[in-house]
């Protein structure tokens, strides 16, 4: 049976095609598996095709910090397993990129900060170990906004990542290297982390899907931390199904004593296969709350395209049977909520000191947050060796902590907000709440902050969000398919299954995602002896960032 398929497919190949290369463009977990299991391609072919694409186009977007030197030998091991009839694991031979704040035993974990360039974990974080157990090929590490502290995706180690849809814009962030890389088909999917917006802003800005799961669903151990209250980790992918498969594997870590939030997971959310139910269901009768306070209705070049994309998408969902319920409560003001209740300034230093002094962290690295910023200095070219602690919440964190009396008031405010959000769901009998991830288009290169984002609501309450592509701005010379716009779909805690089901319906009804032009060409896979070195372009940093003297 297997041999027949093999012979048949090689005959087809001889008849139809010039090339034996696997086509990495917009590849999904299913398309890679189809190729492998029907004998069309080996795992080495698949991995080589992604590496070739990275080699050919990374210089245009600067998304990669490092490639895994072992990626090809891992592929060879998986080919051995395949020919032994032992190809197991939901992510068998799936090339995945990790945001470079996930600990890996075989590559440094830098947070894209030069201060951590030599920081070498001796063990994988539990989520990374789960990916490897499921057969994933960790292709390498992606750039992020330095230490995941903003949404521009510029760093002292990785430079500036460029949006693949518009060479004048940022890719969102902080997981902007992951987002840009997935949009450009550098991997099937990538990991991100989210303290305020960071799994959602890059999905929005790169026409991708992501999930920020309920706090506690995936252990955050072995990931460079910022906030106990707000940190979460999760996948960014080109389809809802791939998000669901990736989430299933990452959440398989289950209860982890080193992240006590994992004890909150209810029995009904343990060992769930989130992809299994993405085959049925309908939008008809679904009640979607539309958060009007999370829009900026000012007419401008940056806001109007977002409003138009959202309005058009919501009309299509209404036509598919969804009930749109306007939510006008003044409580839902993202600027006011963030100003009052963000916890990073209290929680960052304690968590970072614990991370940096962990016995599982080897290599040369600072062991406290204070000493990390004390290594701040300028290089011979005038460039910063560490991006300064320029944000108020970081400079406050350098002296403040969870013992600050304001912290208890903030936590009480978060409990109030969480109850108010539950009440909004109950009062309006909502299945989900929707709003644009960002009130304006993703900002231009050189801007000082990624303004207008709405991620704070889920970040503080811990409610899950799936981000989906909503549309594009009009095409221009710089943005030949337009600038992507994304929508957040926020659900109740532990409602991941229902939320992914809704997102899958939205994906089918709307069919918004488009690939960027720079990833539209076929790239012939090279035959590699070893994984090529890909160096980030550190000097590719807007002159305005962060204080004007970066080289
Ligand atoms: C099959 O793969 C599993 C997981 O990689 C491994 O533990 C096992 O030894 C393999 N079995 C054979 C027969 O190769
Ligand atoms: C949970 O873990 C955090 C971070 O390690 C710690 O600060 C907190 O005290 C723990 N909570 C409990 C109740 O043990
Ligand atoms: C709304 O958008 C306008 C135009 O881009 C901008 O000037 C203004 O600051 C925005 N307002 C808010 C509250 O973000
Ligand atoms: C807005 O876009 C139009 C059309 O592309 C352009 O002519 C105009 O200069 C832009 N306005 C601003 C303020 O950038
Ligand atoms: C809610 O706000 C929208 C748009 O801002 C408006 O059209 C609608 O009439 C408002 N609904 C209520 C009940 O106030
Ligand atoms: C939202 O909150 C900000 C900051 O508190 C305030 O300046 C702004 O006026 C508020 N927006 C609305 C629409 O009330
Ligand atoms: C880091 O260095 C820059 C340039 O010398 C300086 O402007 C900034 O204040 C320094 N930051 C810290 C936290 O020392
Ligand atoms: C406590 O937190 C407040 C609010 O962020 C901050 O202004 C203050 O400086 C902090 N106090 C100390 C002693 O760190
Ligand atoms: C929380 O809500 C209660 C009841 O509405 C109120 O009394 C209290 O001041 C609120 N606390 C904070 C910190 O917002």
């Amino acid at each position: 049976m297997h041999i027949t398929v093999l012979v048949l497919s090689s005959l087809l190949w001889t008849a139809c095609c010039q090339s034996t290369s696997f086509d990495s463009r917009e590849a999904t977990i299913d398309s890679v598996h189809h190729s492998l299991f029907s004998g069309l391609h080996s795992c080495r072919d698949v991995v080589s095709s992604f590496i070739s694409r990275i080699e050919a186009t990374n210089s245009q977007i600067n998304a990669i910090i490092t490639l895994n030197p072992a990626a090809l030998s891992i592929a060879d091991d998986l080919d051995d397993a395949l020919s032994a009839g032992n190809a197991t694991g939901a992510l068998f031979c799936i090339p995945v990129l990790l945001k470079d704040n996930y600990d890996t035993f075989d590559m440094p974990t830098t947070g894209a900060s030069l201060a951590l360039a030599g920081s070498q974990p001796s063990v994988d974080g539990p989520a990374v170990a789960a990916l490897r157990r499921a057969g994933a090929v960790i292709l390498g590490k992606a750039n992020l906004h330095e230490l995941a502290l903003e949404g521009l995706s510029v760093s002292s180690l990785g430079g500036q990542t460029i949006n693949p849809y518009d060479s004048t814009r940022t890719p969102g962030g902080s997981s902007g290297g992951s987002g840009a890389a997935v949009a450009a088909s550098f991997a099937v999917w990538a990991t991100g982390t989210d303290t305020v917006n960071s799994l959602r802003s890059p999905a929005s800005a790169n026409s991708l899907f992501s999930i920020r799961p309920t706090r506690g669903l995936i252990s955050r151990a072995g990931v460079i931390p910022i906030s106990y209250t707000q940190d979460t980790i999760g996948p960014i992918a080109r389809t809802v199904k791939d998000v669901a498969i990736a989430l299933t594997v990452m959440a398989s870590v289950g209860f982890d004593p080193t992240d006590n939030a994992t004890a909150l997971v209810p029995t009904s959310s343990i060992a769930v296969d989130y992809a299994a139910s993405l085959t049925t269901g309908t939008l008809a009768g679904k009640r979607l709350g539309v958060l009007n306070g999370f829009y900026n209705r000012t007419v401008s070049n940056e806001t109007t395209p977002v409003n138009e994309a959202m309005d058009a998408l919501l009309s299509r969902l209404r036509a598919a049977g969804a009930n749109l319920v306007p939510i006008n409560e003044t409580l839902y003001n993202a600027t006011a909520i963030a100003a009052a209740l963000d916890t990073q300034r209290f929680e960052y230093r304690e968590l970072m000191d614990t991370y940096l002094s962990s016995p599982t962290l080897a290599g040369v690295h600072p062991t406290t947050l204070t000493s990390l910023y004390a290594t701040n200095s300028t290089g011979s070219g005038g460039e910063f060796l560490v991006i300064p602690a320029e944000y108020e919440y970081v400079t406050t964190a350098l002296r403040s902590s969870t013992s600050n009396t304001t912290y208890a008031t903030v936590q009480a405010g978060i409990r109030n907000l969480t109850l108010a959000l539950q009440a909004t769901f109950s009062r309006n009998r909502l299945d989900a709440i929707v709003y644009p991830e960002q009130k304006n288009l993703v900002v231009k290169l050189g801007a000082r902050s990624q303004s207008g984002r709405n991620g704070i609501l889920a970040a503080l309450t811990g409610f899950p969000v799936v981000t989906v592509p909503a549309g594009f701005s009009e095409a221009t010379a710089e943005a030949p398919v337009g600038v992507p716009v994304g929508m957040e779909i926020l659900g109740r805690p532990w409602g991941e299954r229902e939320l992914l089901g809704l997102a899958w319906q939205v994906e089918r009804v709307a069919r918004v995602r488009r690939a960027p032009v720079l990833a539209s060409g076929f790239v012939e896979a090279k035959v590699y002896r070893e994984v090529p070195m890909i160096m980030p372009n550190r000097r590719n940093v807007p002159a305005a960032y962060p204080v004007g003297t970066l080289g």
Side-chain angles (χ1 to χ4, degrees):
M1 170 70 174
H2 192 64
I3 290 171
T4 318
V5 172
L6 247 171
V7 170
L8 189 64
S9 55
S10 58
L11 283 176
L12 282 173
W13 168 73
T14 321
C16 90
C17 312
Q18 293 302 309
S19 162
T20 56
S21 263
F22 177 79
D23 190 351
S24 51
R25 287 174 294 184
E26 301 290 297
T28 62
I29 295 171
D30 280 348
S31 77
V32 170
H33 283 173
H34 170 78
S35 222
L36 288 171
F37 300 145
S38 63
L40 283 168
H41 296 289
S42 65
C43 186
R44 179 176 261 265
D45 293 337
V46 169
V47 171
S48 301
S49 78
F50 283 97
I51 293 175
S52 300
R53 179 168 294 281
I54 292 171
E55 246 198 318
T57 43
N58 184 57
S59 63
Q60 294 178 56
I61 58 172
N62 197 38
I64 301 295
I65 290 215
T66 185
L67 288 185
N68 184 354
L72 290 167
S73 68
I74 293 168
D76 291 343
D77 290 347
L78 293 171
D79 277 327
D80 290 345
L82 187 61
S83 49
N86 192 20
T88 54
L91 298 175
F92 184 83
C93 186
I94 299 301
V96 176
L97 285 161
L98 303 178
K99 185 178 183 179
D100 200 12
N101 57 358
Y102 278 64
D103 282 1
T104 44
F105 79 85
D106 51 358
M107 284 173 275
T109 296
T110 68
S113 169
L114 271 170
L116 297 179
S119 196
Q120 178 57 65
S122 57
V123 292
D124 284 338
V128 174
L131 298 183
R132 292 199 216 251
R133 276 196 304 275
V137 178
I138 309 294
L139 211 50
K141 299 296 217 39
N143 195 24
L144 55 143
H145 195 96
E146 180 141 330
L147 297 169
L149 296 175
E150 234 291 357
L152 302 166
S153 299
V154 59
S155 66
S156 58
L157 187 73
Q160 172 73 63
T161 297
I162 312 287
N163 191 308
Y165 292 86
D166 181 342
S167 58
T168 69
R169 291 186 191 261
T170 64
S174 64
S175 316
S178 299
V182 174
S185 289
F186 286 2
V188 174
W189 63 275
T191 66
T193 63
D194 187 322
T195 304
V196 189
N197 289 284
S198 295
L199 276 158
R200 294 166 283 163
S201 154
S204 172
N206 293 284
S207 199
L208 298 169
F209 299 85
S210 69
I211 187 163
R212 176 193 159 98
T214 312
R215 171 174 46 234
L217 189 66
I218 309 175
S219 171
R220 304 164 295 182
V223 175
I224 300 178
I226 301 174
S227 160
Y228 177 82
T229 303
Q230 296 171 220
D231 286 351
T232 51
I233 71 174
I236 303 177
R238 291 185 291 268
T239 67
V240 171
K241 186 172 181 188
D242 284 357
V243 166
I245 295 170
L247 176 69
T248 301
V249 172
M250 293 177 82
S252 71
V253 172
F255 174 65
D256 175 4
T258 62
D259 177 5
N260 54 24
T262 57
L264 297 169
V265 181
T267 316
S268 58
S269 290
I270 293 173
V272 171
D273 177 352
Y274 291 102
S277 52
L278 301 180
T279 51
T280 54
T282 172
L283 283 172
K286 289 290 186 315
R287 293 178 59 81
L288 305 179
V290 181
L291 223 48
N292 284 315
F294 278 20
Y295 286 72
N296 180 347
R297 291 286 177 183
T298 313
V299 172
S300 79
N301 284 0
E302 299 299 309
T303 49
T304 304
V306 173
N307 295 329
E308 287 178 348
M310 284 295 298
D311 292 347
L313 176 61
L314 292 181
S315 301
R316 295 174 78 169
L317 302 187
R318 189 194 285 115
N323 293 323
L324 304 181
V325 182
I327 305 296
N328 292 355
E329 292 166 63
T330 54
L331 168 69
Y332 298 116
N333 175 333
T335 311
I337 292 170
L341 301 179
D342 192 293
T343 62
Q344 297 174 90
R345 59 178 62 77
F346 308 107
E347 297 179 335
Y348 188 31
R349 180 160 51 83
E350 287 166 18
L351 288 184
M352 197 59 166
D353 288 352
T354 303
Y355 175 85
L356 291 171
S357 59
S358 161
T360 62
L361 207 56
V364 177
H365 62 86
T367 54
T368 64
L369 185 64
T370 305
S371 60
L372 188 158
Y373 280 110
T375 60
N376 176 32
S377 60
T378 46
S380 53
E383 77 276 21
F384 290 119
L385 295 184
V386 175
I387 287 185
E390 64 162 344
Y391 312 113
E392 176 278 322
Y393 68 88
V394 180
T395 52
T396 303
L398 287 167
R399 56 193 158 75
S400 184
S401 72
T402 56
S403 59
N404 187 319
T405 49
T406 314
Y407 182 61
T409 314
V410 164
Q411 287 293 350
I414 292 173
R415 285 195 294 276
N416 279 6
L417 177 67
T418 306
L419 189 61
L421 186 56
Q422 292 281 19
T424 297
F425 268 94
S426 296
R427 190 181 310 118
N428 298 288
R429 293 173 287 111
L430 301 178
D431 293 292
I433 290 179
V434 298
Y435 49 88
E437 202 294 317
Q438 188 163 13
K439 300 179 185 82
N440 39 270
L441 296 176
V442 70
V443 302
K444 296 266 188 179
L445 299 172
R448 294 296 298 274
S449 79
Q450 193 60 260
S451 58
R453 295 182 298 168
N454 289 317
I456 192 70
L457 183 60
L460 295 177
T461 58
F463 284 33
V465 173
V466 174
T467 302
V468 300
F472 290 86
S473 66
E474 273 177 35
T476 60
E478 307 84 57
V481 300
V483 180
V485 171
M487 178 173 83
E488 293 198 27
I489 310 176
L490 178 144
R492 295 232 211 191
W494 316 112
E496 276 80 4
R497 212 183 326 216
E498 294 75 17
L499 203 52
L500 285 161
L502 259 175
W504 188 72
Q505 296 292 341
V506 173
E507 178 184 30
R508 283 181 356 134
V509 165
R511 302 210 169 276
V512 172
R513 164 148 180 91
R514 271 178 272 160
V517 169
L518 74 79
S520 62
F522 178 75
V523 175
E524 184 76 35
K526 290 193 190 169
V527 178
Y528 291 106
R529 283 160 155 256
E530 55 186 37
V531 175
M533 289 278 282
I534 299 285
M535 299 295 283
N537 182 359
R538 270 164 48 190
R539 303 194 72 82
N540 174 34
V541 166
Y545 193 85
V547 285
T549 50
L550 270 159

